[in-house]
């Protein structure tokens, strides 16, 4: 095929993918990917990763992501890193995953900042984790806000500072993440950055418990008994 014909086929294949006509997209894009087209390879990788128009196959997905990553496509590099992270399609290797996630962001793919932070945190690279969490928080990622608060609370890389910790938990409250509600409840119950307010803390533990947190459920039950049940 001529270069112009290939470009036309690629555009058509991508259009079919975006229209969720995955089988047709696969018919068009697979030959292009197998002939070395890196952009086609990325779309085929996503189809195999999610089982879109093809049988789900993580090994093939990772192979295509690896092919697409050779042109420094940040998104493909990040997804290749995820192959190593969860052991799907590659042997699990958290250090390799972390290397690829960092490389992906350096090549312009920033949507995985929170994931990078999480991996950095797991391997004990707290300075990098904190930096990634801050970058993700600037983009509105409330799980990142939760983790920044936790790092201030526990003094991981940063100086322990309960006031800042609780401020970050407050910022993340709209997410309704159970751990955020529980941690903010701790701020009130223990008076980490303000006077103790056990009654004020109870609704946060109760809501976190309602959202499925067993730890918060135990805390809520204990606080209820402390505050409201008649004592002998």
């Amino acid at each position: 095929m001529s270069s112009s014909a290939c470009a036309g086929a690629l555009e058509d294949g991508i259009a079919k993918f975006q229209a969720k006509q995955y089988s047709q997209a696969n018919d068009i894009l697979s030959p292009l990917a197998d002939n070395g087209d890196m952009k086609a390879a990325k779309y085929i990788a996503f189809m195999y990763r999610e089982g879109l128009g093809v049988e789900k196959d993580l090994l093939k997905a990772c192979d295509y992501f690896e092919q697409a990553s050779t042109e420094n496509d940040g998104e493909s590099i990040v997804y290749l890193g995820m192959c190593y992270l969860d052991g799907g399609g590659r042997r699990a290797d958290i250090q390799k995953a972390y290397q690829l996630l960092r490389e992906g962001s350096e090549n312009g793919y920033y949507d995985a900042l929170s994931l990078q932070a999480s991996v950095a945190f797991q391997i004990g690279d707290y300075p990098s984790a904190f930096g990634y969490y801050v970058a993700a928080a600037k983009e509105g990622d409330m799980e990142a806000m939760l983790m920044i608060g936790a790092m201030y609370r526990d003094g991981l890389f940063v100086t322990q500072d309960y006031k800042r910790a609780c401020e970050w938990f407050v910022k993340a409250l709209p997410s309704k993440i159970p751990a955020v509600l529980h941690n903010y409840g701790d701020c009130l119950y223990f008076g980490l950055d303000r006077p103790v307010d056990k009654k004020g803390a109870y609704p946060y533990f109760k809501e976190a418990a309602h959202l499925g947190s067993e730890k918060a459920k135990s805390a809520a039950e204990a606080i209820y008994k402390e505050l409201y049940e008649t004592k002998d």
Side-chain angles (χ1 to χ4, degrees), residues 130 146-169 187 191-194:
F130 186 80
L146 163 64
M147 291 304 299
I148 294 170
M151 291 182 78
Y152 272 116
R153 179 196 62 203
D154 298 335
L156 294 175
F157 172 63
V158 293
T159 301
Q160 190 173 52
D161 187 325
Y162 291 134
K163 184 175 187 298
R164 285 190 175 183
C166 295
E167 287 173 350
W168 279 104
F169 295 144
C187 292
L192 296 182
D193 68 328
R194 66 200 71 199

Side-chain angles (χ1 to χ4, degrees), residues 6-130:
C6 287
L10 177 63
E11 291 176 1
D12 189 28
I14 292 173
K16 296 294 186 185
F17 180 93
Q18 293 172 339
K20 299 183 179 181
Q21 298 173 3
Y22 299 118
S23 294
Q24 295 176 51
N26 179 60
D27 289 341
I28 297 168
L29 295 173
S30 280
L32 296 176
D34 293 339
N35 199 40
D37 189 299
M38 303 305 174
K39 194 165 187 179
K42 180 165 72 171
Y43 282 92
I44 294 297
F46 280 121
M47 284 191 272
Y48 275 114
R49 177 181 169 85
E50 304 299 334
L52 303 174
V54 295
E55 186 175 348
K56 185 173 181 177
D57 188 326
L58 295 179
L59 177 59
K60 286 185 178 180
C62 294
D63 287 344
Y64 279 110
F65 280 129
E66 187 160 12
Q67 178 184 336
S69 71
T70 58
E71 287 194 349
N72 296 324
D73 179 79
E75 186 175 21
S76 297
I77 295 169
V78 164
Y79 274 89
L80 180 59
M82 291 168 66
C83 293
Y84 287 97
L85 185 61
D86 55 26
R90 292 289 186 273
R91 184 176 179 178
D93 184 337
I94 194 168
Q95 294 289 347
K96 178 71 172 178
Y98 185 42
Q99 172 194 335
L100 289 164
L101 291 171
R102 294 183 67 174
E103 186 179 339
S105 68
E106 289 167 2
N107 280 277
Y109 189 72
Y110 305 114
D111 289 356
L113 283 170
S114 188
L115 178 59
Q116 287 176 252
S118 176
V119 176
F121 190 92
Q122 288 180 57
I123 65 175
D125 183 1
Y126 298 127
S128 294
F130 186 80

Side-chain angles (χ1 to χ4, degrees), residues 119-214:
V119 176
F121 190 92
Q122 288 180 57
I123 65 175
D125 183 1
Y126 298 127
S128 294
F130 186 80
Y132 289 134
Y133 280 132
V134 169
K138 288 179 180 178
E139 298 299 319
D141 189 318
M142 292 192 182
E143 288 190 2
M145 296 176 193
L146 163 64
M147 291 304 299
I148 294 170
M151 291 182 78
Y152 272 116
R153 179 196 62 203
D154 298 335
L156 294 175
F157 172 63
V158 293
T159 301
Q160 190 173 52
D161 187 325
Y162 291 134
K163 184 175 187 298
R164 285 190 175 183
C166 295
E167 287 173 350
W168 279 104
F169 295 144
V170 168
K171 290 179 182 180
L173 281 175
S175 69
K176 300 297 183 182
I177 297 171
V180 172
L181 296 165
H182 191 159
N183 284 324
Y184 183 63
D186 281 343
C187 292
L188 297 170
Y189 184 85
F190 294 107
L192 296 182
D193 68 328
R194 66 200 71 199
V196 170
D197 183 1
K198 294 183 178 182
K199 286 187 177 181
Y202 175 68
Y204 292 98
F205 289 115
K206 184 178 179 181
E207 185 174 6
H210 179 71
L211 292 170
S213 171
E214 289 298 321

